[in-house]
Amino acid sequence: MTSPATSAPRGPSLVRAVGVWALAASIFNVTVGGGIFRLPASAAAAAGAAAPLVYLICAAVMGFVVLCFAEAGSRITLTGGPYAYVEAVFGRYVGFLAGVLLWMLGTTAVAGVSSAFAEGVGALVGIEGIRVPVIVTMFVLLAIINLRGVEQGTKLIVVASIAKLLPLLAFVAIGVFFIQPDNIAIREVPSPASLARAAIVLVFAFSGVETALVPSGEIRDPARTVPRALAIAMIGVTLLYLAVHVVAAGLLGDKLATSTAAPLAFAAESFLGTPGRLLLLVGASISMFGYVSGMTLAVPRALFRFAEDGLLPRVVGSVHATYRTPHVAIIIQTTLVCALAVFNSFEQLAVISNLAALLLYAGCAAATFMLRQRGIRQEGAVPFAVPGGPLVPIITIGLIAWLLTSITQAEWTVLLITLGVATGFYVVAARTGKPTT
């Protein structure tokens, strides 16, 4: 990647085999997680019949974010995705904080989905009070599976990826014929502040793009592949989410807002009876479990990398002698996530995850602006140019700033404490002369 006056660092030589449809499928798969089985109730509670407007707001925000990702990804093709974009422009420390935000949003997202999964299992078996035992049992099981090797962990992800879409598509395809038009009539539009708070929760369902773009060093012709794949995936995600919510709202009306444990299952029961309810509960459980298992495989590697870079105690970077897995990092990460899931609700954790994600997105938008200003690009390639030029990153940052006005003081405190602790590790590592990237 070159410019007249500057050049970006080169990554390791990887096989560039990921094309447009493969990358689009990866983005779609990561983005459509367990959240959509739970979030329609949260959206309805916050915005009532106007909830589809919140989906459109989230889609618009993510659309601008995706445009920034598309340009940055066509200019910076190093493995690392969003934090590689930020580091290339703002240096090691800010890039490190971007990596911490990526770890934080993954950690809290997994904990939130785990909490929702346990509640869904309780609804499925019809037993109250099993939330904590389900969470603990799940993480013990996943820790054992992932400690024994990466192959076992990936098998779970493949099964869940196929299973999660089938009940959603069936729900929409059949349920659309049972919609009561009066249930989806918008009679009052919420205030901008209410819409912002609703969006700060619902954007959880749209996040995931940043994870799918981490292997940027393995994407074929990224200047063309990244923007096309992002457009295909995000249009598909938005249409699916809108269809799911409109069908659920059209079936349940005001009851959707109170069906917090399993809104789609409750809606399916209204037109398919008990079989429909069981189909959606099983589908939601498989989807959430698949998401948690996939992230339990991936997120501990961030702690492992931090330890390798001297930012965490060396023992965290230990590799198991038999299974060749980062066993200490896996144990620490699963224990932390398990504790967060036990003591917090899905909605609380989703907001913290979204706060970290939105700050990361804002950093990427700023990096996109600077990458264009500096003319950084992949050598021999014409980078994707965002329509509207510098206005798109500026609008992106403005929209994110508006959403962040709904964040409470307590939520900001959690974020600042996390970044403060991470900065302490960074300073210690820098003083001891250890690498930071």
Side-chain angles (χ1 to χ4, degrees):
M1 293 171 289
T2 61
S3 69
T6 185
S7 63
R10 295 183 180 274
S13 180
L14 299 173
V15 178
R16 294 190 178 276
V18 180
V20 172
W21 289 103
L23 181 59
S26 175
I27 295 169
F28 188 90
N29 180 52
V30 172
T31 305
V32 182
I36 189 56
F37 289 92
R38 172 71 175 258
L39 284 168
S42 301
L53 297 178
V54 183
Y55 285 86
L56 294 176
I57 289 171
C58 291
V61 173
M62 290 306 300
F64 279 103
V65 169
V66 161
L67 285 174
C68 293
F69 277 154
E71 177 159 343
S74 70
R75 293 177 180 274
I76 300 293
T77 60
L78 303 177
T79 291
Y83 57 86
Y85 311 155
V86 173
E87 182 177 346
V89 172
F90 299 109
R92 289 184 170 184
Y93 173 63
V94 179
F96 163 73
L97 291 183
V100 172
L101 289 173
L102 192 59
W103 168 82
M104 185 179 179
L105 76 88
T107 298
T108 50
V110 173
V113 173
S114 302
S115 178
F117 168 78
E119 292 179 10
V121 169
L124 178 62
V125 300
I127 301 175
E128 296 183 2
I130 64 170
R131 177 177 172 276
V132 173
V134 168
I135 291 172
V136 174
T137 301
M138 176 176 61
F139 279 111
V140 170
L141 174 63
L142 289 176
I144 293 172
I145 291 173
N146 284 290
L147 283 171
R148 293 181 65 86
V150 68
E151 182 178 354
Q152 287 81 358
T154 54
K155 288 178 180 178
L156 283 173
I157 303 169
V158 172
V159 172
S161 298
I162 297 172
K164 69 183 177 184
L165 288 179
L166 296 180
L168 287 175
L169 294 176
F171 174 76
V172 171
I174 302 173
V176 68
F177 296 103
F178 297 87
I179 289 177
Q180 299 296 319
D182 191 58
N183 286 340
I184 57 176
I186 301 176
R187 296 181 176 85
E188 182 181 357
V189 177
S191 67
S194 297
L195 289 173
R197 186 61 187 181
I200 206 72
V201 176
L202 190 59
V203 77
F204 182 87
F206 288 82
S207 62
V209 177
E210 67 288 332
T211 303
L213 290 179
V214 167
S216 300
E218 296 162 270
I219 295 173
R220 183 172 61 246
D221 191 8
R224 292 168 56 86
T225 298
V226 170
R228 293 182 180 185
L230 284 168
I232 292 169
M234 294 311 296
I235 290 172
V237 167
T238 302
L239 292 176
L240 175 64
Y241 285 176
L242 278 173
V244 168
H245 185 94
V246 169
V247 170
L251 293 168
L252 297 180
D254 294 339
K255 294 180 181 178
L256 177 60
T258 59
S259 306
T260 55
L264 300 191
F266 187 37
E269 187 177 28
S270 69
F271 66 92
L272 288 177
T274 300
R277 175 177 175 273
L278 291 176
L279 173 66
L280 267 295
L281 283 174
V282 171
S285 297
I286 292 174
S287 177
M288 288 188 235
F289 185 77
Y291 175 84
V292 173
S293 65
M295 294 295 279
T296 301
L297 175 70
V299 179
R301 271 67 184 176
L303 294 182
F304 175 77
R305 177 62 187 272
F306 286 151
E308 277 194 324
D309 292 343
L311 295 164
L312 290 176
R314 184 174 299 178
V315 66
V316 179
S318 301
V319 176
H320 196 281
T322 302
Y323 302 123
R324 310 301 295 171
T325 55
H327 59 295
V328 176
I330 290 173
I331 292 171
I332 292 174
Q333 181 69 26
T334 51
T335 302
L336 173 61
V337 174
C338 182
L340 287 173
V342 167
F343 294 108
N344 296 276
S345 70
F346 169 78
E347 285 77 13
Q348 289 172 318
L349 291 163
V351 170
I352 298 298
S353 178
N354 292 341
L355 172 56
L358 289 171
L359 288 176
L360 180 63
Y361 297 158
C364 289
T368 301
F369 180 87
M370 296 304 299
L371 287 169
R372 174 180 284 210
Q373 292 295 107
R374 297 177 184 179
I376 296 176
R377 66 187 186 277
Q378 184 184 9
E379 187 174 0
V382 178
F384 170 74
V386 171
L391 286 178
V392 169
I394 293 171
I395 292 172
T396 302
I397 294 171
L399 288 172
I400 291 172
W402 171 60
L403 293 183
L404 293 180
T405 59
S406 67
I407 297 295
T408 66
Q409 183 177 350
E411 291 159 353
W412 278 115
T413 300
V414 171
L415 178 88
L416 293 175
I417 290 174
T418 302
L419 294 182
V421 171
T423 297
F425 283 114
Y426 184 93
V427 170
V428 170
R431 288 181 175 178
T432 56
K434 296 178 180 178
T436 55
T437 58

